[in-house]
Amino acid sequence: MRSLSAWVVLSFVAAAAALPAKDCAHKVKESVPPPRGWTKTSPAPADHIIELRIALPQPNFAELERHLYEVSDPFHDRYGQHLSKEEVESLVAPEDESVHLVNEWLASHGIYEDNLSRSPARDWVLVKVPVSQAEEMLKTEYHVWTHDASGEAVVRTTAYSLPEHLDDHIELVQPTTMFSRMKSLRSTFRFDSDEEQKSAKIAANAPPISVPSASGGHVDASCNQTITISCIQQLYNAVGFKPSAKNGNQIGITGYLEQFANIEDLQTFYAEQRPDALNSTFKTVLINGGLNNQTLDEAGAEANLDVQFAFGLTFPTPATFFSTGGRPPFKPDILTPSNTNEPYSEWLDFILAQKEPPQTISTSYADDEQTVPVSFAKRVCNGFAQLGARGVSLTFSSGDGGVGDGEEDPALQECFTNDGRNATRFVPLFPPSCPFVTAVGGTIHVPETAVFFSGGGFSDVFPRPAYQEQAVSKFLKTLPEGTYKGLFNPNGRAIPDVAAQADLFRIFLSGRPVSIGGTSAASPTFAGIVSLLNSARLSKGLRPLGFLNPLVYAIQAADPSAFNDITTGNNPGCGTPGFNATKGWDPVTGVGTPNFGKLKDIVTLDLLHIAGLT
């Protein structure tokens, strides 16, 4: 009879023998051409630390997607019956075999459970390793690549491989082939001049503008030069509605790229535009090394814009600002551990782990869709679907480059494919191109017209979802035959879905009044209206709205007056006039801007799918 110690030794030897050898056959997992606008400058330092994000397949995602559409479809009996955190995690969890085989592979490189972390559903594995080890694991070579226009640098490769037996058990590994440059979608801002202040005083004394859909049928004339909280409430028929602070409703704003929302500026803003909110504040949550610098001269224009308008519109709804650290650029003179991942994934890891995330969350950052590897874009999009299934409404700015890339200045736009062909192509943005989020375009002035920089178009990655088929097909039929042929994908997910005011917003930045614009103003504005709708629903014992798009398009088809249809303006880019705003949905302003009063009447009906839309 063998001793227990002998069995232990034999078991250890057998387990060690089962580990895949480092030199086993590998297969190229992903390969991209040298990215346009980037220059390979030097080999990456061997001791530079990167955090590899390893995605395991989600074999039951189609089932999650079915649940998402059923609970988001106002015509379905399950409308509003969102899934729990645990139910969602069970639907995206990888197979045990995938977990086991990936564990073996990591162990063969000396990486064990104590050296890694996992997402709540175990569908992501995160490991921090030096470049030299990543190169061995992925049979690749990392280099420092410099972006020609900005001078920013990243550590990336153009191809990597995995052991052949893991091909079906790992969907992707990043950072490897992603050369995106996450941008804040803010166009320009300027401090108020004496001339502008004089014009504002004149406008303040002018007669109001007649807008039948607005609260009271009119809007202050000053709103044509300066957008305030009062202007939004008037224009979108929300005057007089008071959300509850105690019904469980919450709103969130995401912040990236060292953007800090300044509390002192917020108080100054409140004193001028929302005096009843004075001395109230918001919760700041730090993610992945995010910071909360409250030095006044470090205030972020983007963060202040988002917080002041979203939280000003929804006071006294409890509010959260998520400050997420990390950005792709690599600093070659600082070889301390740093995160070179796309920050969206860091935020998603955090928010999906929360039991009760805010029901409405706005984001004003994006990448050119073509710079995000398809595999990664789809996985991040799937993460947004998980939030939607749990009852979270996600709004994203549609972009500030019209049909071009994120550059507002058409002279700086590079409307070429990034696949080595250098073909001319319109440039949609991601994440607004994800079908599981609500993309928000922009308008300007009263009466409203499309603002010229409003991002819009058609995804080259995601097909058009069924919820927008009718509205988008109708628009495409109005285009003269051959219009922009080859410049966009007429079968792609269309953006934006909706719109809101996007320019001339008056905020406070570093203690001074500033006029600011961009679809980064439109997204928190529309999110503020959604949060008010959620408050109205929750106060009546109804569920939050969750994933908005099926409802948005259903309402627009049944009662177009619930949205203010924008029929003038266009979004030039890539050397073209872009698309025109027109009757019904269009790729400049979506189905239009919200009429809160009408929408509230619809969404607060019980049995919405029967009483509200049939």
mmCIF file of all heavy atoms in Angstrom, residues 25 73 78 87 114 231 235 237 249 325 332 411 419 508-509 604:
data_model
loop_
_atom_site.group_PDB
_atom_site.id
_atom_site.type_symbol
_atom_site.label_atom_id
_atom_site.label_comp_id
_atom_site.label_asym_id
_atom_site.label_seq_id
_atom_site.Cartn_x
_atom_site.Cartn_y
_atom_site.Cartn_z
ATOM 1 N N ALA A 25 2.300 23.976 -30.154
ATOM 2 C CA ALA A 25 1.915 24.641 -31.394
ATOM 3 C C ALA A 25 0.999 25.824 -31.111
ATOM 4 O O ALA A 25 0.055 25.725 -30.339
ATOM 5 C CB ALA A 25 1.211 23.645 -32.303
ATOM 6 N N ASP A 73 -38.737 45.446 -24.401
ATOM 7 C CA ASP A 73 -39.735 45.615 -25.457
ATOM 8 C C ASP A 73 -41.084 45.983 -24.832
ATOM 9 O O ASP A 73 -41.686 45.176 -24.115
ATOM 10 C CB ASP A 73 -39.859 44.315 -26.249
ATOM 11 C CG ASP A 73 -40.907 44.384 -27.347
ATOM 12 O OD1 ASP A 73 -41.562 45.436 -27.491
ATOM 13 O OD2 ASP A 73 -41.074 43.375 -28.062
ATOM 14 N N ARG A 78 -43.035 40.669 -20.579
ATOM 15 C CA ARG A 78 -41.973 40.754 -19.569
ATOM 16 C C ARG A 78 -41.388 42.159 -19.452
ATOM 17 O O ARG A 78 -40.397 42.356 -18.749
ATOM 18 C CB ARG A 78 -40.841 39.769 -19.910
ATOM 19 C CG ARG A 78 -41.215 38.301 -19.785
ATOM 20 C CD ARG A 78 -39.981 37.437 -20.050
ATOM 21 N NE ARG A 78 -38.932 37.704 -19.079
ATOM 22 C CZ ARG A 78 -37.636 37.425 -19.285
ATOM 23 N NH1 ARG A 78 -37.256 36.913 -20.431
ATOM 24 N NH2 ARG A 78 -36.739 37.674 -18.354
ATOM 25 N N GLU A 87 -28.343 36.563 -11.995
ATOM 26 C CA GLU A 87 -28.912 35.960 -13.198
ATOM 27 C C GLU A 87 -28.106 36.341 -14.436
ATOM 28 O O GLU A 87 -27.848 35.503 -15.316
ATOM 29 C CB GLU A 87 -30.373 36.391 -13.352
ATOM 30 C CG GLU A 87 -31.312 35.741 -12.357
ATOM 31 C CD GLU A 87 -32.703 36.354 -12.384
ATOM 32 O OE1 GLU A 87 -32.839 37.558 -12.716
ATOM 33 O OE2 GLU A 87 -33.663 35.624 -12.068
ATOM 34 N N ASP A 114 -3.396 33.314 -7.151
ATOM 35 C CA ASP A 114 -3.020 34.460 -6.334
ATOM 36 C C ASP A 114 -2.447 35.607 -7.153
ATOM 37 O O ASP A 114 -2.314 36.734 -6.649
ATOM 38 C CB ASP A 114 -1.987 34.045 -5.278
ATOM 39 C CG ASP A 114 -2.583 33.141 -4.212
ATOM 40 O OD1 ASP A 114 -3.825 33.075 -4.120
ATOM 41 O OD2 ASP A 114 -1.803 32.499 -3.479
ATOM 42 N N CYS A 231 -33.499 76.677 -19.434
ATOM 43 C CA CYS A 231 -33.766 76.510 -20.875
ATOM 44 C C CYS A 231 -34.129 75.067 -21.196
ATOM 45 O O CYS A 231 -35.071 74.801 -21.957
ATOM 46 C CB CYS A 231 -32.540 76.917 -21.685
ATOM 47 S SG CYS A 231 -32.170 78.684 -21.674
ATOM 48 N N LEU A 235 -37.660 74.000 -22.749
ATOM 49 C CA LEU A 235 -37.661 73.464 -24.109
ATOM 50 C C LEU A 235 -38.190 72.043 -24.159
ATOM 51 O O LEU A 235 -38.911 71.669 -25.092
ATOM 52 C CB LEU A 235 -36.249 73.543 -24.678
ATOM 53 C CG LEU A 235 -36.057 73.144 -26.146
ATOM 54 C CD1 LEU A 235 -36.900 74.023 -27.059
ATOM 55 C CD2 LEU A 235 -34.586 73.242 -26.522
ATOM 56 N N ASN A 237 -40.194 70.574 -21.935
ATOM 57 C CA ASN A 237 -41.493 70.405 -21.271
ATOM 58 C C ASN A 237 -41.362 69.699 -19.919
ATOM 59 O O ASN A 237 -42.118 68.775 -19.608
ATOM 60 C CB ASN A 237 -42.447 69.629 -22.195
ATOM 61 C CG ASN A 237 -43.894 69.691 -21.743
ATOM 62 O OD1 ASN A 237 -44.271 70.543 -20.933
ATOM 63 N ND2 ASN A 237 -44.715 68.790 -22.251
ATOM 64 N N ASN A 249 -34.126 56.112 -6.901
ATOM 65 C CA ASN A 249 -33.571 56.521 -8.190
ATOM 66 C C ASN A 249 -32.181 57.118 -8.008
ATOM 67 O O ASN A 249 -31.915 57.820 -7.024
ATOM 68 C CB ASN A 249 -34.492 57.560 -8.852
ATOM 69 C CG ASN A 249 -34.129 57.796 -10.302
ATOM 70 O OD1 ASN A 249 -33.739 56.878 -11.020
ATOM 71 N ND2 ASN A 249 -34.262 59.033 -10.752
ATOM 72 N N GLY A 325 -9.357 55.740 -13.640
ATOM 73 C CA GLY A 325 -7.984 55.983 -14.060
ATOM 74 C C GLY A 325 -7.573 55.072 -15.198
ATOM 75 O O GLY A 325 -8.252 54.113 -15.545
ATOM 76 N N PRO A 332 7.592 56.416 -21.692
ATOM 77 C CA PRO A 332 8.800 55.595 -21.705
ATOM 78 C C PRO A 332 9.791 55.921 -20.601
ATOM 79 O O PRO A 332 10.681 55.128 -20.306
ATOM 80 C CB PRO A 332 9.397 55.885 -23.089
ATOM 81 C CG PRO A 332 8.791 57.172 -23.516
ATOM 82 C CD PRO A 332 7.436 57.222 -22.902
ATOM 83 N N ALA A 411 -10.601 69.923 -41.179
ATOM 84 C CA ALA A 411 -9.268 69.886 -41.759
ATOM 85 C C ALA A 411 -8.386 68.830 -41.109
ATOM 86 O O ALA A 411 -7.395 68.390 -41.689
ATOM 87 C CB ALA A 411 -8.612 71.264 -41.634
ATOM 88 N N ASP A 419 -7.569 49.619 -42.483
ATOM 89 C CA ASP A 419 -7.313 48.206 -42.760
ATOM 90 C C ASP A 419 -6.238 47.986 -43.817
ATOM 91 O O ASP A 419 -6.115 46.898 -44.378
ATOM 92 C CB ASP A 419 -8.610 47.526 -43.221
ATOM 93 C CG ASP A 419 -9.235 48.233 -44.433
ATOM 94 O OD1 ASP A 419 -8.601 49.160 -44.981
ATOM 95 O OD2 ASP A 419 -10.365 47.852 -44.805
ATOM 96 N N PHE A 508 -19.616 76.625 -15.050
ATOM 97 C CA PHE A 508 -18.520 77.298 -14.365
ATOM 98 C C PHE A 508 -17.307 76.382 -14.357
ATOM 99 O O PHE A 508 -17.410 75.188 -14.049
ATOM 100 C CB PHE A 508 -18.938 77.703 -12.945
ATOM 101 C CG PHE A 508 -19.787 78.938 -12.934
ATOM 102 C CD1 PHE A 508 -21.160 78.855 -13.156
ATOM 103 C CD2 PHE A 508 -19.213 80.191 -12.750
ATOM 104 C CE1 PHE A 508 -21.953 79.995 -13.177
ATOM 105 C CE2 PHE A 508 -20.006 81.339 -12.758
ATOM 106 C CZ PHE A 508 -21.369 81.242 -12.977
ATOM 107 N N LEU A 509 -16.163 76.959 -14.726
ATOM 108 C CA LEU A 509 -14.909 76.219 -14.826
ATOM 109 C C LEU A 509 -13.801 77.030 -14.166
ATOM 110 O O LEU A 509 -13.542 78.170 -14.559
ATOM 111 C CB LEU A 509 -14.566 75.952 -16.290
ATOM 112 C CG LEU A 509 -13.255 75.219 -16.567
ATOM 113 C CD1 LEU A 509 -13.307 73.800 -16.018
ATOM 114 C CD2 LEU A 509 -12.963 75.188 -18.075
ATOM 115 N N THR A 604 -45.400 56.221 -17.452
ATOM 116 C CA THR A 604 -45.933 55.969 -16.109
ATOM 117 C C THR A 604 -47.238 55.183 -16.132
ATOM 118 O O THR A 604 -47.838 54.939 -15.086
ATOM 119 C CB THR A 604 -46.152 57.284 -15.340
ATOM 120 O OG1 THR A 604 -46.957 58.166 -16.116
ATOM 121 C CG2 THR A 604 -44.836 57.946 -15.004
#
